[in-house]
Amino acid sequence: MSQTTTKGTAVLTLPSDTEILVTREFNAPRHLVYRVFTEPDLIRRWWAGQRGTVTVADVDLRVGGAWRYALVAGGGFEVGFHGEYLEIVPDERIVCTEIFEGMPGGEGAGEATRITYTFTETGGRTTLDVLTACESIQTRDVIISSGMEVGMQEGYDLVEELAVELAR
């Protein structure tokens, strides 16, 4: 397996007025990348990136099951997201809803988005496509302007490190 790293290489595009597509290649087989995205102990190690500490990583990985992640950010406040699993194809695809719980005091709590994670493997490397479908262009633009891309890049770098670590 190549030792080539892919740090900070997630590409964000806007396929429509209500969608966000993030594509990132990982130097690891897809079953390991999938594990890092679905096992609570592993999620706790990457989901906050360098932005805080994950305090909740609840996963009920079944259609109709719920998930919830929360972190305490560097400023000491908690940020959380939750949703429901709509479709699961192990190692290949996860479709779920996602609701931002807002900042302390409920500020910024949002509508549900639909997220499709697609894991594709070629030559021992995994390409992950994450398509976020929003109800409105306003929601899409709020997500884009939130600064999520920086944290996402940090988190995905950690996903790759964990998946490579699992391969050893």
Side-chain angles (χ1 to χ4, degrees):
M1 176 182 298
S2 170
Q3 295 301 311
T4 304
T5 62
T6 57
K7 288 188 180 288
T9 58
V11 176
L12 188 149
T13 57
L14 305 175
S16 75
D17 286 347
T18 57
E19 295 177 312
I20 302 165
L21 176 63
V22 174
T23 301
R24 162 78 194 247
E25 185 177 279
F26 298 94
N27 186 20
R30 77 175 171 183
H31 74 281
L32 297 178
V33 176
Y34 184 87
R35 276 186 63 192
V36 175
F37 269 85
T38 57
E39 293 184 14
D41 289 344
L42 296 170
I43 293 166
R44 288 178 196 281
R45 295 173 60 188
W46 70 266
W47 186 71
Q50 306 299 324
R51 306 290 158 175
T53 302
V54 176
T55 56
V56 177
D58 294 334
V59 174
D60 181 8
L61 191 62
R62 60 182 176 84
V63 173
W67 65 270
R68 183 171 187 266
Y69 306 159
L71 69 89
V72 173
F77 58 90
E78 183 173 82
V79 177
F81 294 82
H82 70 273
E84 176 182 345
Y85 294 105
L86 305 174
E87 180 184 341
I88 298 168
V89 179
D91 297 335
E92 294 180 18
R93 181 178 164 94
I94 300 170
V95 180
C96 63
T97 59
E98 179 178 284
I99 299 172
F100 174 51
E101 297 173 358
M103 302 301 279
E107 179 181 332
E111 65 190 41
T113 57
R114 179 183 174 103
I115 302 180
T116 302
Y117 297 86
T118 305
F119 302 82
T120 307
E121 182 177 332
T122 303
R125 298 176 70 92
T126 301
T127 299
L128 171 66
D129 292 307
V130 182
L131 179 64
T132 301
C134 304
E135 293 289 323
S136 67
I137 189 171
Q138 291 81 14
T139 298
R140 182 201 72 176
D141 290 348
V142 166
I143 293 170
I144 296 296
S145 66
S146 71
M148 55 72 80
E149 187 174 358
V150 174
M152 176 195 66
Q153 295 282 6
E154 293 172 355
Y156 285 4
D157 289 349
L158 294 171
V159 166
E160 183 171 68
E161 289 178 23
L162 289 167
V164 168
E165 181 182 306
L166 291 171
R168 293 183 188 143

